[in-house]
Amino acid sequence: MMKMMQCLSFIKKGDVGELSPLIFKEGTLHNDKLGQASCSRCPQADGADTVRDVRSELHNPQRLCRANKVNGCIKYLMVLSNFILTVLGYLILGIGIWGLIDKESLDLNKINTLSTDPMLAFVVVGLIVGFFSCSGCLGALRENQYLLKFFTAGILMFVTAEIIGGIVVYAQRDRIERFLKNGMTLCVKRYQDDPDVRFIINEIQQGLKCCGVESYHDWQLNLYFNCSSPGVHACGAPASCCINPQENGTVMNSQCGFGTLHMEEVTAQNYIYLHGCMSHLTNWLNSNIGSIAAFGVILMVIQLLGLIFAMKILSDIELIKVHW
C-alpha cells in the first residue's frame, strides 16, 4: 500500500517521463538515421553513448576514405592485365582477317570452304578475347558496373565451357580421334589448294616424322600426288615426308619425294617416312597429357583471378553506394 502511494506521488509531481515508454529521456536518439544506425550496431548500448559512437564513425576520415574508393592495387592490376589481353586479342583478330583477305577466302567462289579455313579460328578467338578483355579493362578503369558484370558473366561462361569441354573430350576421346582422322584426311586432299593447310601438314609431318594419315599411301587421295595425275607430282609425296629433305645440303629438295608411291616399301623407306601421322599424333597427345592439363589449369586460374578481381571491384562500388 505504501509503494502504491509513492508511485501516485511521483505521478503528481510530473515525473511521467520516467514511466512512459513513449517519451524519451534527454540524451536519447532524436535523429531517425542515427537511431537506425545505433540499433543495428549496438542495440543494448545507452542512447547517448550510441549517438557518440555513430557520430565518431561518420566523422572518421579514414573510414570515409576507405568507403569512398576502390582498391587501387586490384583495379590497376586488372586494367593492365586486360589491356594486354585486349591488344593480344585484336592482334590475333587482325592476323585472321588479313589471312582471309590475302587468300581471297571471302570471295563468293570460295565462300563454301570458309568454315574449314584455319584463319577463321583466328578471327573467332581474337574477337572473343579482345571483346571481353576490353570490357574488363574499361569496366575496371571507369568503375562501370555494367561492363564489369558483362566481363564477369563472360568469364563464368568460359570457365563453364572449359570444364564441360574437358569432360566431353575425356568421355568422347574415341569419337574425337575419328574426327581428327577425318580432318587430317581432308587436309591431305586440300594440300595444294590452301597454303595454311599446306603449312600445317608440313609442320606435323616434319615434327612427328611421319607421312600421310595412316601411311604414306594416303597421298594417293590428293589429285596432284595421285599416280594417275599428269603433273610432275604424280605418284610422289611432299618434301615434308622425306627423311633427309635437304640431302646433306642447305636448301630443301622439293623433289625428294617424287616417285615414292610406286616404290616397294623396302625401297621407299630409304627416302620417306612410311608410317602415318595419326598414330604419332595420338602417342604425342598421350605422352604430353600432363603438360596439356597443366596449361588448362593455369588458364583457368588466370580466369578465376580476373573473376575475383572484378567481383571485388563490384563489391567496393556497392559499398560506396550504400555508404553515401
Side-chain angles (χ1 to χ4, degrees):
M1 196 66 182
M2 291 292 295
K3 290 182 178 180
M4 184 177 295
M5 294 297 293
Q6 290 176 356
C7 289
L8 291 176
S9 65
F10 285 142
I11 294 174
K12 289 180 180 179
K13 290 179 182 179
D15 293 330
V16 181
E18 296 289 337
L19 301 176
S20 176
L22 300 178
I23 301 176
F24 293 99
K25 294 170 64 178
E26 184 179 358
T28 57
L29 297 179
H30 55 81
N31 186 297
D32 292 340
K33 293 183 179 179
L34 296 180
Q36 292 174 1
S38 64
C39 289
S40 62
R41 292 182 59 85
C42 187
Q44 301 298 327
D46 180 72
D49 294 336
T50 304
V51 173
R52 286 193 295 270
D53 292 340
V54 174
R55 286 175 176 172
S56 63
E57 290 290 339
L58 291 176
H59 293 285
N60 188 344
Q62 294 181 353
R63 183 174 180 83
L64 287 175
C65 183
R66 288 196 300 269
N68 195 33
K69 60 189 297 186
V70 174
N71 189 301
C73 180
I74 293 178
K75 173 182 175 179
Y76 290 107
L77 183 60
M78 185 173 175
V79 170
L80 178 61
S81 60
N82 279 280
F83 176 76
I84 295 174
L85 289 175
T86 301
V87 174
L88 180 62
Y90 285 127
L91 180 62
I92 296 173
L93 175 63
I95 293 174
I97 294 175
W98 171 81
L100 292 177
I101 295 175
D102 184 67
K103 296 191 303 177
E104 299 180 352
S105 298
L106 301 177
D107 190 74
L108 294 178
N109 297 326
K110 299 182 179 180
I111 200 69
N112 294 330
T113 61
L114 181 63
S115 59
T116 58
D117 196 314
M119 286 297 170
L120 186 63
F122 282 82
V123 173
V124 174
V125 171
L127 188 63
I128 293 175
V129 172
F131 189 67
F132 280 98
S133 299
C134 185
S135 67
C137 179
L138 293 177
L141 183 64
R142 303 297 300 172
E143 299 178 11
N144 187 295
Q145 285 184 293
Y146 297 105
L147 289 176
L148 288 172
K149 288 179 180 179
F150 179 76
F151 174 79
T152 303
I155 293 295
L156 288 174
M157 182 181 65
F158 291 150
V159 172
T160 304
E162 288 165 6
I163 295 175
I164 295 175
I167 296 174
V168 170
V169 167
Y170 181 78
Q172 302 292 329
R173 52 188 180 275
D174 295 334
R175 183 175 296 180
I176 293 174
E177 183 177 348
R178 291 194 297 270
F179 175 79
L180 287 175
K181 179 181 176 181
N182 295 333
M184 290 189 64
T185 302
L186 180 62
C187 289
V188 167
K189 293 179 180 179
R190 295 181 53 191
Y191 179 81
Q192 295 288 69
D193 301 326
D194 194 322
D196 292 326
V197 171
R198 184 161 61 249
F199 173 79
I200 293 172
I201 289 296
N202 287 337
E203 289 296 314
I204 292 175
Q205 291 187 150
Q206 290 176 353
L208 299 179
K209 297 181 178 181
C210 56
C211 186
V213 182
E214 293 184 335
S215 73
Y216 71 104
H217 289 292
D218 290 327
W219 284 103
Q220 289 272 17
L221 299 173
N222 189 282
L223 294 177
Y224 297 91
F225 293 100
N226 189 280
C227 290
S228 61
S229 174
V232 294
H233 297 285
C235 227
S240 56
C241 287
C242 296
I243 297 175
N244 186 16
Q246 294 182 350
E247 297 182 355
N248 298 324
T250 56
V251 180
M252 179 177 291
N253 179 12
S254 60
Q255 300 179 0
C256 60
F258 281 16
T260 53
L261 292 184
H262 64 69
M263 295 180 182
E264 296 292 335
E265 290 189 2
V266 178
T267 307
Q269 68 182 355
N270 297 322
Y271 300 97
I272 62 174
Y273 300 107
L274 303 183
H275 299 288
C277 296
M278 194 62 212
S279 59
H280 287 69
L281 182 60
T282 303
N283 293 334
W284 183 86
L285 290 174
N286 291 332
S287 61
N288 292 275
I289 189 67
S291 301
I292 297 173
F295 175 78
V297 170
I298 292 173
L299 180 62
M300 188 169 295
V301 168
I302 293 174
Q303 292 173 337
L304 290 176
L305 284 176
L307 179 64
I308 293 172
F309 288 168
M311 294 180 67
K312 178 64 173 66
I313 296 175
L314 283 172
S315 66
D316 288 347
I317 296 173
E318 288 294 335
L319 183 62
I320 294 170
K321 285 186 174 183
V322 170
H323 184 84
W324 293 104

